[in-house]
Amino acid sequence: MPYSVLLTYSNPSSDYLNTLTGACFPVFCRFNRIATLASQRRQKSRGQSTRRPGDESVLWSDEELYDLVSSAREIEEELKEDKKQMEAMVKSKLPASISFDIPDKPSLSSHRFLHEAYRITGLMALRSFVLCEPPSSFGIHLLVRQSLSLLEEMWEKNLPGLCSIHLVLFVTALCCCKSDSAASQDGETGGDADCQRIERLYENMR
């Protein structure tokens, strides 16, 4: 399905929430583009590692580097805008079409937590798997900590979105373990504390 069509139906300002993904659908729609960029980066890097002497065709050109970084930055800006739109939705309470006249009116609190968890996951994937930020960077560490805190709070509050956080757990675990391992070698962090947090979350989800 063309991305433009997905974007139209994922508009969070619409007067409905997606049945399966709630308010997270706009973020879900960006993951395919992130995966495509990561795949392009891996294929190009793999070609560089096996190139023959004198073969310049597999080297990154200025244009290719610019296109990759520009595409990643564009998605990053969209993810920032997603947060603003989600906050606006929360402030406006519920969309009119799902404001049912019943005692147990749906709450947006779980949608907000899940939306932010997936948004942060998108940022981690962009910076780690596409732009190759070093795992010991404070930028990756901050995103890992933010993701872990969100996941732990979702678990403690037993929010409905818990059943949909497997990708968030997986990406956080990848960045968490790599960042702790690399940073601990430089004495930057307190060891594998973040890895232990993700392990506890995995145990809780079993």
Side-chain angles (χ1 to χ4, degrees), residues 183-200:
S184 60
Q185 294 175 5
D186 299 328
E188 293 285 353
T189 67
D192 58 355
D194 290 346
C195 283
Q196 292 174 0
R197 292 172 70 186
I198 198 69
E199 287 173 1
R200 284 195 296 270

Side-chain angles (χ1 to χ4, degrees), residues 1-191:
M1 182 181 294
Y3 177 71
S4 57
V5 176
L6 286 175
L7 193 60
T8 299
Y9 284 97
S10 71
N11 185 357
S13 64
S14 301
D15 60 351
Y16 67 90
L17 293 179
N18 185 273
T19 304
L20 296 176
T21 60
C24 294
F25 195 42
V27 182
F28 282 132
C29 291
R30 311 203 194 288
F31 273 89
N32 181 60
R33 293 162 63 202
I34 295 173
T36 299
L37 290 178
S39 177
Q40 292 174 354
R41 195 272 304 165
R42 284 195 304 270
Q43 289 176 1
K44 192 72 174 180
S45 299
R46 190 179 300 118
Q48 283 185 280
S49 65
T50 59
R51 75 185 184 95
R52 297 178 179 178
D55 183 5
E56 303 295 329
S57 63
V58 296
L59 296 177
W60 286 95
S61 67
D62 293 354
E63 292 77 11
E64 288 173 329
L65 283 172
Y66 179 82
D67 289 343
L68 183 74
V69 174
S70 296
S71 297
R73 296 304 186 198
E74 179 182 343
I75 298 175
E76 189 170 355
E77 289 302 315
E78 291 172 5
L79 289 169
K80 292 178 181 178
E81 187 64 27
D82 285 337
K83 183 174 185 177
K84 295 179 183 178
Q85 292 179 337
M86 184 63 195
E87 291 174 348
M89 180 185 289
V90 171
K91 288 180 180 179
S92 65
K93 305 297 183 181
L94 287 171
S97 63
I98 61 171
S99 297
F100 304 115
D101 187 18
I102 55 178
D104 297 325
K105 185 182 294 186
S107 171
L108 281 178
S109 61
S110 62
H111 291 290
R112 185 177 192 174
F113 274 87
L114 188 62
H115 181 278
E116 183 64 5
Y118 269 95
R119 194 187 71 84
I120 290 175
T121 301
L123 291 173
M124 280 192 289
L126 272 174
R127 296 181 183 181
S128 182
F129 308 148
V130 178
L131 297 178
C132 296
E133 286 192 16
S136 59
S137 70
F138 286 135
I140 297 297
H141 266 293
L142 175 61
L143 292 172
V144 165
R145 294 285 177 85
Q146 289 176 330
S147 179
L148 286 171
S149 296
L150 268 174
L151 293 173
E152 288 168 347
E153 190 167 359
M154 289 178 70
W155 173 258
E156 291 171 1
K157 294 183 177 181
N158 194 28
L159 296 178
L162 276 171
C163 64
S164 303
I165 63 171
H166 298 90
L167 177 62
V168 179
L169 275 170
F170 179 69
V171 174
T172 304
L174 287 178
C175 295
C176 172
C177 293
K178 290 199 303 181
S179 62
D180 267 340
S181 174
S184 60
Q185 294 175 5
D186 299 328
E188 293 285 353
T189 67

